[in-house]
Each structure stands twice: as structure tokens, then as C-alpha cells.
Amino acid sequence: MTDKTYPVIEVFGPTIQGEGAMAGRPTHFIRMGGCDYRCHWCDTDIAVLPEKVREEQTRLTAVEIVNQIQDLPKGPKWVTISGGNPALHQLDLLVIDLHRNQFKVAVETQGSMWKPWLNLVDQLTISPKPPSSKMNTAKNLQLFEGFMGLMMTQYPMGARVCLKIPVFDEVDYEHAIGIHQQWSQIPFYFSVVTKMGGLYGDFSGGEIDTRDTLLDRYKWLAERVAGDARAGDTVAIPQLHALIWGHGRGF
Amino acid sequence: MTDKTYPVIEVFGPTIQGEGAMAGRPTHFIRMGGCDYRCHWCDTDIAVLPEKVREEQTRLTAVEIVNQIQDLPKGPKWVTISGGNPALHQLDLLVIDLHRNQFKVAVETQGSMWKPWLNLVDQLTISPKPPSSKMNTAKNLQLFEGFMGLMMTQYPMGARVCLKIPVFDEVDYEHAIGIHQQWSQIPFYFSVVTKMGGLYGDFSGGEIDTRDTLLDRYKWLAERVAGDARAGDTVAIPQLHALIWGHGRGF
């Protein structure tokens, strides 16, 4: 059982979480390979496109992953498991091993597929994808409703869960508000989409965001949220990691 | 009793809170005049220097302040009372009136002077000033210890309180870590000092921060915090309002 291996793309840290409820908090990261989505502006195709995942992955057991975390410089109390979509995998052993090593565990997933092991984690960020992802939004909303229904009825996680929706434009914003209104009891974070070419290259028209274009988009979002009574008690935070380091591997 | 007036410098919103536990959250602001500190990099001398406070203030009753808040465009569920140091004043009537009008109330203070009305608020941010403020740090630490002693024993505020320390350099960072270690049970936020000339003009050597210099300082701080086991489960966030709008009145 413990020699089961997982497709790991990167293990890195210490760094900070750039978005959502954990924004600014020191953490290590485990990036799992494999994804059921193909978001147009995805910034980690190495964890998404099957040929790249095959090329980039290292198959590691839970114990080997935790050993790699322990070999990183000390600092963060948190380990964040992201992807790709980590909920594609059965990661209960990994979470238990991280807890055994005194780490708190955060997970980021798009909320397309519930797994009972998600109930073990200390912070679950559910990040449904907006229309600018150019995915089938209606179908993805159905998957999200299924995920939320299971979580709320069978695995109520209380304060350990939040919603985080990346927003590029007004269409995305209205989509996000709709989800917030439906799940208003759950802490809600707006994030800002970063243009960096995209998986399929044409989303950005070849443009790559700079600090200034990112902050201008955040300015629009912050003013939109602040002036909208429907946004109520939500939070709007830019991608702090993109502002600090730009986009690339290892952060 | 209700015709008691307070020195108000600005009432503005909707905007977002730029720092600390409420970073990114929509809020209105009430800026009170008067301060017992003279921080070298203070960005609101209109609320601090007595001659400027006399010039800029409007004396308003609690009801008049709440009326001004109600006249602002709707949106935020929060009202943040800042200064200056709002703890110079007896603001229980104001907080009660804001609550009566369905607002949650946040307060920002340096923690030099406890007032029982602070126990009424929904989020209290205590922001002791670091050595780069060029204040008497040892004396201010004594005042802070007194404040914390009263709060922890007579008015335990639990999850409603956080510490937020602005950091300019390594000396400030070590000072902040010391305070975190002493009060490790309280949620702790690092912020980033913004250079904008300063009350007395020589802190910045005439330099005013740009988005790039601010983000470079934040990069240093984020990497310092992420790699420091003593920083444990803290948070480092830049001044989001300064990144969006620069420094000036009305935000």
C-alpha cells in the first residue's frame, strides 16, 4: 500500500501562497500532474497536458514526497498541494504523512471531483473556472454543484473551506457573483487572471502581463468589488506571487 | 451626550482595506484626527500634526458621522476607523451607531492606549511601530505591553484581534519577530513600509516609492518570512492600496 506512487511535477519552497484565504502565508508546494480541465489561460501546462506531464513527472511514494519536503529549507508550517487537479489522485496517505510530520495541509482544486480525503486537509480552496477559461462553463457548474453538494452534506468542512474565483473581465465577475450568491455562507475570494500566453496561445493576443497591467486589472476589480453591494463581505486580492516573481516554474 | 463631537479628518469609501487580516476586503473609512505618535514615515500628517488637524478637522457627532457613511455609495459591510490614533477618543457611541446601521466595525491603532470601547469592535488591528519609525521604540514597547496586558486579561477579544507590523528593513524585521514570539497566539501580519517623503522629510532621502520599489521591498520581505522558521504561521502582505492608487487622500 505504501509503495503506491503519484505523478509529481514539482516539490518546492519555502515560498508564500499568492492567492485566496492563505495569501501571503509561508508554504511549501507539491504540484501534482494531471488535470481534467484545459483552461485557456492555464499557467502550468507542465501539470496539465498529458505529453508534458509524462515528460515532467517523477513517480514518488507519499514517504518520498514528504522526504523531499523535509529536504527543503525549514520555515513554513504549511504544505500546499496543487496541480493540475490534485483531486484526480487518492492522496490520503500523503496528507496523513504530512500531518505526522507536523505540517498543516492546504489543497487547491477546481471543484470538479470530490474525494473523501479532501476532508482530512486543514484548508481547502475550491476554485471554479470562469467563462474566460473558455471551458464549457455550464457543464463545469454542474460538476461544481455535485462537488459542493457532497461536501456540504457528507463532509461539512466549516471554516476550513473557501471559494476563490479568478476574474479577467466583467463577464467573469458576474459569473463569480452568481456563485457567491448561491454559496454566500462560504468565505469568498476574488483573484485576478494573469495573461501569460495561455495553453493555446491566443487568449492574450500574444501579450504577457507586466506588474503594471496586472495591477491595473486588480484596480478595476477592487473598485468593482468595493462598489457592489452584492459582493458583500468578500475579498479581492491579486496574485501576489505573479507580482513578485512573474510567472514561471518553482513558485 | 449624543451632541458630543469628534475631530473627523475624512469619511470616504467604498474602497478596500489594503493591509493585515482585512486586506482586500471592501470597507468605508473614518479617519479621526489626533495622534500620540510621530512616525517618521507617517503617510497621513493631516491626521497627526496638531496644526494640520486643526485645519482639516470637521467636528461631527456620532450620528452625523454615520449619516456621512450612509451617504456614500452602497457596497461594503465594513467601516474601518483609523487615524491618527482613534484610541485617543471615546468612540463607543460611534461604534454602537454603526452596529445599529448593520455595519461591522474595524479599528486600527498602534496599541499605545487601551480603551474599553475597543472591546465592542468586530476586528481590532494593533500595529506597534518598528525602529524605522524613529520613535522611542523602548518606550513604545512599554506602552504596547500595557495595552496588551489589559486586553488579554480584562477584554480577551479572541479571533477578533490581530497584530500588524510595518517593516522597512532587517532591523524592523527582527523587532517584529520578537513581538510575534512574545504574542504567538495572536494572528500576525507583516506589512511593508511605503516611502513617501515622511513627516520630517529625510527618511526617504527625498525618494518616493513606485510600484516597482514597493514590490521589490515586498519580494525581500516575503522571501525573508518564508525562509524563517521563527515566522511560523504568519502572513506577509504588501500595502495593496499603495500598489493600486499610490499614496494620497481619500483611500
Side-chain angles (χ1 to χ4, degrees), chain B residues 100-175:
Chain B
R100 202 178 279 147
N101 283 271
Q102 319 303 329
F103 285 107
K104 297 187 197 178
V105 179
V107 168
E108 306 252 332
T109 178
Q110 57 260 49
S112 57
M113 197 179 301
W114 173 266
K115 290 282 170 63
W117 68 266
L118 293 171
N119 192 42
L120 300 175
V121 309
D122 304 287
Q123 176 70 43
L124 176 65
T125 300
I126 308 165
S127 189
K129 302 309 176 191
S132 69
S133 69
K134 299 198 183 171
M135 298 282 290
N136 183 332
T137 307
K139 181 184 156 210
N140 288 352
L141 268 181
Q142 279 188 338
L143 296 172
F144 171 70
E145 296 298 327
F147 181 104
M148 295 298 279
L150 268 170
M151 190 191 69
M152 299 296 280
T153 54
Q154 296 181 30
Y155 306 92
M157 294 187 66
R160 292 179 294 145
V161 69
C162 76
L163 288 165
K164 179 193 74 183
I165 304 202
V167 168
F168 179 71
D169 56 17
E170 181 65 22
V171 175
D172 284 2
Y173 180 76
E174 285 297 329
H175 178 81

Side-chain angles (χ1 to χ4, degrees), chain A residues 24-25 78 104 223 233 236 245, chain B residues 24 78 104 223 233 236 245:
Chain A
R25 207 172 281 274
W78 286 85
K104 297 186 197 179
E223 290 172 351
D233 203 3
W245 294 293
Chain B
W78 286 84
K104 297 187 197 178
E223 289 173 351
D233 203 3
W245 294 292

Side-chain angles (χ1 to χ4, degrees), chain A:
Chain A
M1 184 63 176
T2 52
D3 57 0
K4 183 177 171 184
T5 64
Y6 307 94
V8 176
I9 303 294
E10 304 179 271
V11 173
F12 63 95
T15 184
I16 58 158
Q17 169 58 260
E19 300 181 283
M22 300 263 296
R25 207 172 281 274
T27 183
H28 296 303
F29 273 90
I30 300 166
R31 188 184 301 288
M32 305 301 296
C35 196
D36 45 331
Y37 278 19
R38 295 292 181 274
C39 297
H40 202 68
W41 29 247
C42 177
D43 56 4
T44 47
D45 57 1
I46 52 172
V48 172
L49 297 177
E51 66 276 17
K52 294 211 176 185
V53 171
R54 273 193 298 274
E55 200 173 291
E56 299 282 348
Q57 72 174 328
T58 309
R59 303 286 317 189
L60 297 173
T61 65
V63 168
E64 287 169 336
I65 296 172
V66 176
N67 285 344
Q68 288 206 6
I69 291 283
Q70 293 289 21
D71 285 344
L72 296 172
K74 300 292 178 230
K77 302 282 180 267
W78 286 85
V79 173
T80 302
I81 306 174
S82 75
N85 182 6
L88 290 184
H89 311 289
Q90 193 58 43
L91 300 182
D92 42 356
L93 285 179
L94 176 58
V95 175
I96 289 164
D97 250 20
L98 287 167
H99 280 160
R100 201 178 279 146
N101 283 270
Q102 318 304 328
F103 286 107
K104 297 186 197 179
V105 179
V107 168
E108 307 253 332
T109 179
Q110 56 260 49
S112 57
M113 197 179 300
W114 173 266
K115 290 282 171 63
W117 68 266
L118 294 172
N119 192 40
L120 300 175
V121 309
D122 305 286
Q123 176 71 43
L124 177 64
T125 299
I126 308 164
S127 189
K129 302 309 176 192
S132 69
S133 70
K134 299 198 183 173
M135 299 281 291
N136 183 332
T137 307
K139 180 184 158 212
N140 289 351
L141 267 181
Q142 279 188 337
L143 296 172
F144 171 69
E145 297 297 327
F147 181 104
M148 295 299 278
L150 268 170
M151 190 191 69
M152 299 296 280
T153 54
Q154 296 182 30
Y155 305 93
M157 294 187 66
R160 292 180 295 144
V161 69
C162 76
L163 288 164
K164 180 193 74 184
I165 304 202
V167 169
F168 179 70
D169 57 15
E170 181 65 22
V171 174
D172 283 2
Y173 179 76
E174 285 296 329
H175 178 82
I177 284 286
I179 290 176
H180 169 55
Q181 287 180 317
Q182 187 170 358
W183 301 98
S184 58
Q185 73 275 46
I186 297 180
F188 190 95
Y189 294 79
F190 294 94
S191 192
V192 180
V193 168
T194 303
K195 291 196 294 186
M196 46 82 68
L199 267 178
Y200 306 104
D202 63 345
F203 174 70
S204 66
E207 283 173 39
I208 307 289
D209 272 312
T210 63
R211 284 175 166 181
D212 279 338
T213 59
L214 272 181
L215 283 172
D216 288 346
R217 196 173 303 128
Y218 176 52
K219 177 175 186 286
W220 163 76
L221 179 63
E223 290 172 351
R224 187 75 181 86
V225 169
D228 186 352
R230 297 173 303 165
D233 203 3
T234 64
V235 178
I237 294 196
Q239 289 189 308
L240 297 175
H241 57 287
L243 286 172
I244 295 182
W245 294 293
H247 264 264
R249 289 190 68 164
F251 65 85

